[in-house]
């Protein structure tokens, strides 16, 4: 620490444990009037205003009234080169890739173009309250350089890496790399970017269908050489895709086993989607401490299926889970809108996803799924000061709904404040979007402020 000290006052919500397994009293920390003290880019102190304010009487303080301050949202699965093709019409996964994705991503051979999109992409994330993402790039190394350069300028924590695909016929010939080029380029990019500032590198085979055994073996080699890197990929998203993977890898017992045989499954391995998993695959994901990125907006938009969140968060097969927009298969940049879809996916399976459980997945749950809980995800002392100021009454319908809260008049003032917070937070989760984001701070700096409404 040792930088400029400043403070933020307001209502704060974060998590101390997983509310899927712990009681709310154990898992949830809500301070109706709290103070967050920032020293440089990290959190110096945090607590109830009445308890700690005297110690910071001379510190410059920004007071957000009638707002709810949360740790920055964490998007565990998103594609920055797909920014311009969001909401592409009418196809499921494999046809969507052929018709829309690869032609768009071919543009990222041009580093200047890649940088232009990277800047726009990061600004859109910030406007939606997202402060960390696990991000796919393209097969072109310059697209990775452009992305990390943009991240470095913002001092923002992003996980990304060269996205490998070398199987002939799965993408245009000019888009394909090779097992050897993927290894050599990835190694060079790891040396250049991994843990330089807040940048973090992910070894990234796009999906098993797109990689030969040789490329997957190279992924395993890279993971052995750089064990503190992440691994980011897709798995079991679409029935047609799953069937083709089974044909290409008959020696593997299932989709997950393709990655297991390559030696890349374990902590810091994230499998996006993982919709159609067997009980045995869930058990192996749990035992290996791997993680899943739950991408409900994308899964609904492409008609891929319903992720079994209740199975992943069961006592029998607990799997680390974060949420992802999967933009551009997902139709938004907003984690709040993703949680709206997550609620509906759970409801279609006779499950209930509360606001507290949803916001946990978007904050500390996402951090834990990426093994970043020591750096981000809550307001604990020493973590990076990444947070979002939300307005639970940002729209007329949210404001009207908030007034209808059924509050127990016989409860203590503290209990009433919490009831109101939960009511408003659920409304924001189901009815909110980027309009609910008032401000976004990264490494203690205000990087996004909602424009004032004129007229």
């Amino acid at each position: 620490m040792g930088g400029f000290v400043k403070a933020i006052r307001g209502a704060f919500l974060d998590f101390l444990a997983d509310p899927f397994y712990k009681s709310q009293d154990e898992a949830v920390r809500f301070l109706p009037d709290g103070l967050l003290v920032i020293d440089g880019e990290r959190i110096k102190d945090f607590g109830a205003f009445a308890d700690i304010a005297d110690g910071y009487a001379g510190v410059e303080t920004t007071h957000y009234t009638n707002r709810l301050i949360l740790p920055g949202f964490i998007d565990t699965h998103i594609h920055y080169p797909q920014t311009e093709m969001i909401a592409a019409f009418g196809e499921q996964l494999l046809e969507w890739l052929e018709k829309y994705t690869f032609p768009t991503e071919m543009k990222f051979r041009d580093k200047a173009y890649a940088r232009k999109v990277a800047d726009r992409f990061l600004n859109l994330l910030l406007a939606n309250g997202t402060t960390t993402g696990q991000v796919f790039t393209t097969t072109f190394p310059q697209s990775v350089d452009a992305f990390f350069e943009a991240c470095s300028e913002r001092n923002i924590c992003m996980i990304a890496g060269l996205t490998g695909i070398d199987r002939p016929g799965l993408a245009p010939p000019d888009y394909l790399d090779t097992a050897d080029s993927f290894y050599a380029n990835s190694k060079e990019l790891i040396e250049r970017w991994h843990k330089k500032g807040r940048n973090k590198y992910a070894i990234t085979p796009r999906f098993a269908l797109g990689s030969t055994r040789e490329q997957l073996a190279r992924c395993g080699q890279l993971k052995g050489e750089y064990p503190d890197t992440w691994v980011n990929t897709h798995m079991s998203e679409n029935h047609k895709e799953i069937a083709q993977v089974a044909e290409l890898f008959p020696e593997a017992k299932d989709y997950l086993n393709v990655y297991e045989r390559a030696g890349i499954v374990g902590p810091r391995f994230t499998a996006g989607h993982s919709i159609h998993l067997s009980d045995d695959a869930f058990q192996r994901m749990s035992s290996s401490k791997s993680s899943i990125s739950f991408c409900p907006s994308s899964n609904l938009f492409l008609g891929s299926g319903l992720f079994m969140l209740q199975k992943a968060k069961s006592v029998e097969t607990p799997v680390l889970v974060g949420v992802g927009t999967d933009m551009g298969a997902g139709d938004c940049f907003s984690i709040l809108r993703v949680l709206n879809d997550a609620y509906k996916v759970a409801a279609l399976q006779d499950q209930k996803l509360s606001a507290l459980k949803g916001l946990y997945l978007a904050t500390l749950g996402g951090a834990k799924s990426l093994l970043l809980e020591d750096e981000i995800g809550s307001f604990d002392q020493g973590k990076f000061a990444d947070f979002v100021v939300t307005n639970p009454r940002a729209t007329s319908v949210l404001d009207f709904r908030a007034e209808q809260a059924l509050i127990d008049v016989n409860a203590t003032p503290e209990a009433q404040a919490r009831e109101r917070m939960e009511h408003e937070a659920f409304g924001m989760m189901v009815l909110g979007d980027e309009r609910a984001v008032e401000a976004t701070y990264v490494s203690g700096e205000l990087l996004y402020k909602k424009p004032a409404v004129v007229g």
Side-chain angles (χ1 to χ4, degrees), residues 362-408:
T363 57
L364 185 60
K368 285 181 175 290
S369 79
L370 299 173
L371 269 65
L372 288 175
E373 66 271 27
D374 291 339
E375 297 184 22
I376 58 173
S378 72
F379 295 119
D380 290 342
Q381 183 178 358
K383 293 189 178 183
F384 284 93
D386 296 349
F387 57 95
V388 56
V389 181
T390 66
N391 180 1
R393 299 188 177 205
T395 66
S396 59
V397 68
L398 279 171
D399 186 55
F400 183 67
R401 180 189 181 277
E403 292 300 329
Q404 314 312 312
L406 298 176
I407 304 299
D408 183 358

Side-chain angles (χ1 to χ4, degrees), residues 144-184:
V144 184
D145 285 326
F147 181 69
F148 278 133
E149 287 169 7
C151 294
S152 297
E153 288 185 3
R154 293 164 175 81
N155 198 22
I156 192 170
C157 176
M158 291 282 156
I159 304 170
L162 190 70
T163 301
I165 178 168
D166 71 333
R167 187 176 297 280
L170 259 293
D174 289 346
Y175 187 85
L176 296 174
D177 54 11
T178 68
D180 288 342
S181 70
F182 175 79
Y183 171 80

Side-chain angles (χ1 to χ4, degrees), residues 393-454:
R393 299 188 177 205
T395 66
S396 59
V397 68
L398 279 171
D399 186 55
F400 183 67
R401 180 189 181 277
E403 292 300 329
Q404 314 312 312
L406 298 176
I407 304 299
D408 183 358
V409 296
N410 296 315
T412 65
E414 292 79 10
Q416 290 184 25
R418 182 154 170 167
E419 285 182 33
R420 185 171 295 281
M421 177 275 292
E422 289 188 42
H423 176 80
E424 293 185 1
F426 182 72
M428 188 168 65
M429 180 176 108
V430 176
L431 300 171
D433 51 29
E434 63 271 20
R435 292 171 293 177
V437 174
E438 191 90 2
T440 305
Y441 287 75
V442 172
S443 300
E445 296 296 324
L446 177 63
L447 293 193
Y448 170 79
K449 183 177 180 180
K450 186 177 181 179
V453 177
V454 178

Side-chain angles (χ1 to χ4, degrees), residues 302-318:
L302 293 184
S304 300
L306 306 178
F307 174 64
M308 294 179 282
L309 179 63
Q310 74 280 8
K311 180 70 175 176
K313 301 300 292 183
S314 68
V315 175
E316 295 77 21
T317 55

Side-chain angles (χ1 to χ4, degrees), residues 203-277:
I203 300 161
T204 312
R206 188 177 201 119
F207 59 165
L209 186 59
S211 291
T212 62
R213 290 173 182 79
E214 292 75 21
Q215 187 171 75
L216 290 171
R218 288 296 207 176
C219 292
Q221 183 180 353
L222 286 165
K223 183 62 176 172
E225 294 171 357
Y226 301 96
D228 64 347
T229 54
W230 281 255
V231 178
N232 185 28
T233 191
H234 299 76
M235 185 170 75
S236 298
E237 181 177 358
N238 171 282
H239 287 298
K240 183 176 179 181
E241 166 215 11
I242 293 167
Q244 291 186 19
V245 169
E247 291 178 7
L248 290 169
F249 298 92
E251 71 279 10
K253 64 186 294 185
D254 58 15
Y255 205 138
L256 174 59
N257 191 230
V258 175
Y259 297 134
E260 290 172 330
R261 295 170 72 91
I264 57 177
V265 175
R268 294 192 180 90
F269 170 86
T270 302
H273 306 296
S274 300
I275 303 169
H276 310 289
L277 296 188

Side-chain angles (χ1 to χ4, degrees), residues 128-151:
N128 283 274
T130 298
T131 56
T132 291
Q134 186 166 231
V135 182
F136 288 82
T137 64
T138 73
T139 55
F140 308 117
Q142 55 270 34
S143 71
V144 184
D145 285 326
F147 181 69
F148 278 133
E149 287 169 7
C151 294

